Amino acid sequence: MAKTEDLSFGYLLNDVTLLFRKHFDRRAVKFGLTRAQWRATKMLYHREGMRQTELAEALEMEPIAVGRVIDRLQAAGFVERRPDPRDRRAWRLYVTAQAHDVVDDMEQIARDLRREVTAGIAYEELKQALAVIGRIKENLQALDGCDAAVPRAE
C-alpha cells in the first residue's frame, strides 16, 4: 500500500524555490536590491513603523543581519529610521517615496512571474497544492516545538 512518507518532495520544493528566486532576481536586478533588502522593504511597505526587532522576527532573520540590511536600505534612500515616541532608545522604520515606486514595480515582476510559472495550472489545482504545502509547513513548525521539548544528551 502506498504511503505519503514514501513520496520524496523536499528536493522538489527546494528546486522550485531556487528557480523562482533565480528568475525573480534576474528580473529585479535593475533595482539594485538584494533579496533580503527587497523582503525588508516590502514588509515595511505593508507594516510601516515596525521596530527593527519586530522586522527581524517577521523576516525570520537575526536582528544584527536585519540591522545591516536596514543600514544599506537607509544609505540607498529606501528606508528611514524615526525615533520611537514611546521609547527614546528605539527607532521605528518607514519606507520612503523612492521605496513606494520600487515596491510597485517589484510586485508587478512577481505577478508576471507567477502568471508565467503557473501556465496550464488551474486556479483550484494551485489552491489545493498551496493548502497542502501550508499544512506541511505547519507540521514542520510543530516539530520545532517538539524538538525544543526533547532533552539533549551531553
Side-chain angles (χ1 to χ4, degrees):
M1 178 161 132
K3 297 179 184 174
T4 56
E5 64 264 21
D6 294 334
L7 294 173
S8 180
F9 57 86
Y11 289 117
L12 177 61
L13 290 175
N14 185 59
D15 289 349
V16 168
T17 300
L18 290 174
L19 286 166
F20 195 93
R21 286 178 176 173
K22 178 180 84 171
H23 287 280
F24 182 88
D25 289 349
R26 280 184 186 163
R27 295 170 189 213
V29 71
K30 63 186 173 188
F31 299 109
L33 294 173
T34 65
R35 187 175 309 111
Q37 290 169 337
W38 159 239
R39 288 181 66 224
T41 302
K42 185 176 179 184
M43 179 69 67
L44 291 173
Y45 176 85
H46 292 289
R47 295 175 58 190
E48 281 197 308
M50 295 179 84
R51 293 169 79 170
Q52 190 168 303
T53 54
E54 295 167 333
L55 179 61
E57 186 175 309
L59 295 174
E60 297 179 358
M61 291 176 65
E62 292 297 320
I64 289 176
V66 170
R68 288 191 295 269
V69 168
I70 296 303
D71 289 344
R72 289 185 194 107
L73 286 170
Q74 186 174 18
F78 290 102
V79 171
E80 63 182 24
R81 289 177 167 107
R82 297 181 196 162
D84 185 327
R86 288 180 234 118
D87 184 349
R88 291 184 307 177
R89 301 165 296 163
W91 297 90
R92 296 282 175 176
L93 304 170
Y94 296 85
V95 294
T96 63
Q98 176 183 342
H100 278 265
D101 294 339
V102 170
V103 168
D104 291 341
D105 290 341
M106 297 282 265
E107 287 184 338
Q108 185 60 50
I109 289 171
R111 276 191 299 278
D112 291 345
L113 184 57
R114 286 192 304 264
R115 185 186 66 248
E116 291 171 30
V117 302
T118 57
I121 300 171
Y123 177 83
E124 287 303 322
E125 286 179 290
L126 184 58
K127 195 172 168 184
Q128 177 67 30
L130 293 174
V132 170
I133 292 169
R135 290 186 7 229
I136 290 170
K137 179 180 177 182
E138 290 169 4
N139 290 342
L140 287 166
Q141 289 170 327
L143 290 176
D144 286 342
C146 293
D147 290 345
V150 175
R152 296 178 190 249
E154 293 187 28

